[in-house]
């Protein structure tokens, strides 16, 4: 968490110099492509039968990504944005924790609204596709026959692949960008288990960044 706060402060300190270099990462008056960097925080959880059974709460994690956007119409400010994110999700309560770290690719449709001469508002919605690359499952009450069940890979309990949808709203001032959104999984990420529990991930997230 300390590393995340340091990284956010670094982006904020660099933001004024970036903002002076242009009037925005894209324009509503013509076809355009834009690129962006994102850094932020997740407040994630696990729902479904699994979440109810284990009674896990919210886990805080980091988002880090690069995006590219394309205007789809010369007459309407509709954009398609995708990219690649490193994102930390899962769930946590007391000493029990499920850590799920993913590479994520979103496919978002954004609609641009020119709020002022310098500020654009961009509500969006779209699917995301994730693949788990790391994670730890910790539960002091579950110890296997070798006595080491307290700390093991999350992917012995959960599938690597996940997908779902994102909905949110971004705002851009000059080249500076911020967004608030919510993502919810529609895939069952739980592996087969004796209790036949299903699970799905969800997260409230906040990102800041720049568009070029």
């Amino acid at each position: 968490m300390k590393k995340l706060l340091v990284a956010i402060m670094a982006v904020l300190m660099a933001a004024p110099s970036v903002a002076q270099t242009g009037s925005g990462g894209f324009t509503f008056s013509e076809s355009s492509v834009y690129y962006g960097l994102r850094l932020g925080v997740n407040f994630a959880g696990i729902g479904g039968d699994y979440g109810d059974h284990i009674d896990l709460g919210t886990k805080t994690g980091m988002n880090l990504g690069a995006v590219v956007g394309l205007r789809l119409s010369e007459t309407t400010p509709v954009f398609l944005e995708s990219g690649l994110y490193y994102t930390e999700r899962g769930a946590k309560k007391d000493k029990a924790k499920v850590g799920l770290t993913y590479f994520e690719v979103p496919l978002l449709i954004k609609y641009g609204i020119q709020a002022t001469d310098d500020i654009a508002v961009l509500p969006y919605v779209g699917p995301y596709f994730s693949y788990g690359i790391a994670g730890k499952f910790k539960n002091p009450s579950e110890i296997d026959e070798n006595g080491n069940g307290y700390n093991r890979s999350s992917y012995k309990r959960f599938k690597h692949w996940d997908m779902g949808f994102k909905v949110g709203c971004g705002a851009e001032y000059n080249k500076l960008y911020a967004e608030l959104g919510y993502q919810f999984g529609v895939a069952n990420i739980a592996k087969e288990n004796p209790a036949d529990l299903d699970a799905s991930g969800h997260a409230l997230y906040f990102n800041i960044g720049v568009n070029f």
Side-chain angles (χ1 to χ4, degrees):
M1 190 64 184
K2 291 182 179 179
K3 293 181 179 179
L4 174 60
L5 294 175
V6 171
I8 290 176
M9 289 299 298
V11 172
L12 292 175
M13 292 175 66
S17 61
V18 174
Q20 294 172 7
T21 64
S23 59
F26 55 84
T27 173
F28 290 149
S29 61
E30 61 185 28
S31 298
S32 58
V33 176
Y34 65 90
Y35 305 91
L37 299 175
R38 303 286 185 261
L39 175 67
V41 60
N42 278 323
F43 304 98
I46 294 177
D49 296 336
Y50 196 95
D52 296 337
H53 178 73
I54 304 297
D55 191 26
L56 293 171
T58 300
K59 179 181 178 295
T60 303
M62 182 177 69
N63 281 326
L64 179 64
V67 303
V68 57
L70 171 67
R71 181 162 179 164
L72 300 179
S73 169
E74 294 185 1
T75 58
T76 305
V78 177
F79 299 82
L80 174 65
E81 182 180 289
S82 187
L84 179 64
Y85 283 83
Y86 168 90
T87 179
E88 297 172 342
R89 302 202 297 268
K92 181 180 180 181
K93 185 176 182 180
D94 299 327
K95 293 183 178 181
K97 181 175 74 172
V98 177
L100 297 168
T101 301
Y102 293 97
F103 281 144
E104 178 183 291
V105 176
L107 291 174
L108 306 177
I109 297 295
K110 293 190 168 186
Y111 184 83
I113 302 170
Q114 195 77 49
T116 70
D117 290 342
D118 297 318
I119 298 175
V121 178
L122 297 108
Y124 61 83
V125 65
Y128 67 87
F129 306 90
S130 301
Y131 183 79
I133 57 172
K136 288 293 185 180
F137 179 89
K138 297 182 179 181
N139 189 347
S141 65
E142 295 186 13
I143 305 297
D144 63 20
E145 63 276 8
N146 298 317
N148 57 8
Y150 174 70
N151 191 342
R152 51 186 161 175
S153 171
S154 293
Y155 298 104
K156 292 185 178 180
R157 296 290 186 93
F158 299 94
K159 301 172 184 176
H160 286 272
W161 289 102
D162 185 23
M163 71 159 295
F165 289 89
K166 287 187 169 186
V167 58
C169 187
E172 181 179 320
Y173 172 72
N174 290 323
K175 290 189 175 184
L176 306 182
Y177 179 83
E179 67 180 359
L180 178 67
Y182 183 78
Q183 63 183 84
F184 56 94
V186 297
N188 178 16
I189 61 174
K191 288 186 175 179
E192 293 183 7
N193 56 83
D196 197 26
L197 302 175
D198 62 8
S200 59
H202 56 83
L204 177 70
Y205 61 88
F206 174 72
N207 294 327
I208 60 173
V210 293
N211 285 337
F212 304 100

